[in-house]
Amino acid sequence: MNRYAQMISELKTPEVMKRLTYLYGQRGGMLVAQSARYSRLLKRHEELVGYEGPIAMVSAPGRTEIGGNHTDHNRGKVLAAAVNLDTVAAVRTNGSRQIRIQSAGYPLCTVDLDRLEPDPREINTTAALVRGVAARFVQLGCPVAGFDAYVTSTVLPGSGLSSSAAFEVLLGTVLNCLFFERKLTAPEIAMAGQYGENVFFGKPSGLMDQMACAVGNLVAIDFLDPGKPAIHPVAFDFAACGHALCIVDSRASHADLTDEYTAITHELKALCSYFGKDVLSQVPESEFYAAIPALRPLYGDRSVLRAVHFYQEDKRVPEQVAALEAGDFDQFLHLVKQSGYSSYMYLQNIIPTGAVAHQDMGVALALCEHYLAGRGAYRVHGGGFAGTVQAFVPLDRLESFQSGIDDALGQGACHILSIRPWGGVEILEA
């Protein structure tokens, strides 16, 4: 029996089945589906690569932002959680100086490890992420070498669950396990992912996405010190709260929205320059409010309103944490709604500038309000403008909520998720 067949057999052992249950839950035959998924992954790796050495299987989750909409890039506070949708890989070293990654449905990505500088031609490509994360590991002293990987993902691009961060954390976990004796902590893997995205991929993202994917479970993160973000695990059992966590796909495209996302960062950075600071977390709220008469003509009212959102949202995150730790789920839901209102009114990341005929996120939010009928909570999820809405749905309304959303936006628009307790992790070791 070769190693592929051995590993497929190991997927059925009680130890591995327990691990899969811990990661994915048991809703709707999830365990059987995941075991079959990993078997297919190994078989496809064998077809593409063949067996020449030990094989590892690695998983990294997507993430859901519970609180702190657009606060991380101003070194604010967020509340985020890993979810049971993930990116998985079968990996083996290849004895070369090339990383070769075949993702299901995509062309083969090949990166030469003897060239680990940013390449302007690779901006916004998978190769940029691979090269960037590998470069950061080399900078940290890791003897990175070549490997072959086959990758599949249930964290679909544009889902608002951060498929790019899941991929970056997957890469970091692979490099950490295969070549670095697992020396890096989960937060350090997250920062390596952010480095690759910022410096090589060309996206000036904050650290929330990578951190939530790498650390796992439900965590509050304070980014005031970007080199040492303060991570606070939040003890709360969402499975016992009587509500389901749903993500609603607005079916809107992220294409041509880069300017909308970057405008938020640029407007607030410009406003901060008035105070001689880089980010709003360095500007006392009282000073900001006192300066509003001067700020409005200089930077425009939208910038001022977006700053109002930051201050409100940054205070709301610790209030959400306190509510959950006190077991006050009703207060938590109230704060989720307040976050949504603030994003719509002040941050203004629901409707792209000038859009009239297509206001997909607004429609998705209106549908959530209608089918929740005053119960639960809902809010924009992630970057906004396109993508997804987050909803906490009472279990006795879950069926009608999901069917109503799917009827209006298309089948599969409403996804029922659960919180995943682990971040990047080896399923089976090489």
Side-chain angles (χ1 to χ4, degrees):
M1 181 184 294
N2 69 20
R3 181 56 179 149
Y4 289 102
Q6 288 178 336
M7 293 182 78
I8 290 173
S9 178
E10 287 174 29
L11 289 171
K12 301 173 184 177
T13 62
E15 180 183 356
V16 176
M17 294 292 274
K18 182 178 180 181
R19 180 174 295 187
L20 295 180
T21 301
Y22 197 55
L23 288 178
Y24 301 106
Q26 301 185 70
R27 172 184 286 273
M30 182 70 76
L31 191 58
V32 173
Q34 291 299 329
S35 180
R37 177 188 177 208
Y38 279 100
S39 295
R40 291 193 299 270
L41 181 76
L42 285 165
K43 290 175 182 177
R44 185 59 176 150
H45 190 276
E46 183 176 24
E47 292 171 1
L48 292 171
V49 178
Y51 176 70
E52 295 181 8
I55 306 156
M57 296 184 70
V58 178
S59 162
R63 68 96 185 98
T64 182
E65 168 207 287
I66 306 294
N69 194 222
H70 278 278
T71 56
D72 60 332
H73 49 73
N74 269 279
R75 299 187 202 166
K77 303 177 184 69
V78 301
L79 180 62
V83 297
N84 62 335
L85 299 181
D86 65 344
T87 301
V88 298
V91 187
R92 73 159 175 81
T93 58
N94 59 27
S96 78
R97 295 292 297 163
Q98 286 190 335
I99 293 176
R100 296 187 288 261
I101 298 178
Q102 179 68 66
S103 296
Y106 293 89
L108 177 68
C109 173
T110 302
V111 169
D112 186 347
L113 290 170
D114 292 323
R115 188 171 60 85
L116 291 179
E117 300 81 28
D119 186 340
R121 297 169 298 178
E122 290 182 346
I123 286 176
N124 293 324
T125 68
T126 299
L129 292 178
V130 177
R131 198 180 305 279
V133 174
R136 183 58 183 150
F137 268 77
V138 170
Q139 292 167 14
L140 294 170
C142 176
V144 175
F147 64 83
D148 291 300
Y150 180 67
V151 177
T152 67
S153 183
T154 53
V155 190
L156 300 177
S159 66
L161 299 170
S162 201
S163 58
S164 60
F167 183 71
E168 292 155 21
V169 170
L170 182 82
L171 288 172
T173 304
V174 168
L175 296 175
N176 200 38
C177 294
L178 291 186
F179 308 115
F180 215 23
E181 300 177 343
R182 301 169 182 82
K183 290 181 181 178
L184 293 195
T185 64
E188 289 170 332
I189 289 173
M191 286 185 276
Q194 185 200 26
Y195 174 84
E197 188 163 305
N198 290 174
V199 179
F200 285 70
F201 189 77
K203 181 180 178 182
S205 66
L207 187 57
M208 178 189 71
D209 295 349
Q210 294 86 354
M211 193 68 75
C213 293
V215 173
N217 218 331
L218 179 66
V219 291
I221 311 170
D222 187 340
F223 292 110
L224 183 61
D225 181 349
K228 295 182 179 179
I231 303 169
H232 173 70
V234 180
F236 184 80
D237 183 6
F238 269 104
C241 69
H243 288 68
L245 170 61
C246 295
I247 296 295
V248 175
D249 185 352
S250 69
R251 301 294 168 90
S253 171
H254 284 84
D256 302 321
L257 290 175
T258 299
D259 289 346
E260 296 285 356
Y261 299 124
T262 58
I264 296 175
T265 303
H266 292 162
E267 288 179 15
L268 293 180
K269 187 174 183 63
L271 187 145
C272 288
S273 68
Y274 176 87
F275 303 94
K277 303 296 184 182
D278 295 322
V279 292
L280 281 172
S281 58
Q282 298 171 331
V283 180
E285 185 178 8
S286 59
E287 289 187 21
F288 160 73
Y289 274 97
I292 283 179
L295 296 172
R296 292 179 64 192
L298 288 173
Y299 306 105
D301 285 350
R302 188 171 71 170
S303 296
V304 170
L305 290 170
R306 284 175 164 172
V308 169
H309 166 80
F310 170 81
Y311 287 111
Q312 290 191 2
E313 189 81 342
D314 203 47
K315 289 186 290 187
R316 198 160 19 241
V317 168
E319 292 173 355
Q320 288 180 300
V321 171
L324 289 173
E325 291 182 335
D328 190 347
F329 197 66
D330 287 340
Q331 174 64 6
F332 167 77
L333 292 177
H334 169 73
L335 293 166
V336 170
K337 294 176 187 176
Q338 292 299 316
S339 173
Y341 296 155
S342 179
S343 295
Y344 212 146
M345 292 188 294
Y346 303 137
L347 183 61
Q348 299 179 42
N349 67 331
I350 306 301
I351 299 171
T353 304
V356 176
H358 297 286
Q359 299 186 2
D360 308 79
M361 289 293 291
V363 171
L365 289 165
L367 288 168
C368 288
E369 181 177 33
H370 174 72
Y371 287 109
L372 283 172
R375 299 176 63 195
Y378 63 96
R379 64 191 282 275
V380 63
H381 181 249
F385 300 111
T388 56
V389 169
Q390 178 185 79
F392 291 92
V393 183
L395 295 179
D396 62 0
R397 294 197 67 86
L398 182 57
E399 184 176 350
S400 62
F401 179 87
Q402 184 175 32
S403 62
I405 294 293
D406 284 354
D407 287 347
L409 299 180
Q411 290 302 306
C414 180
H415 303 271
I416 303 171
L417 305 181
S418 63
I419 304 299
R420 166 169 154 155
W422 290 338
V425 66
E426 293 171 275
I427 302 299
L428 291 174
E429 296 183 14

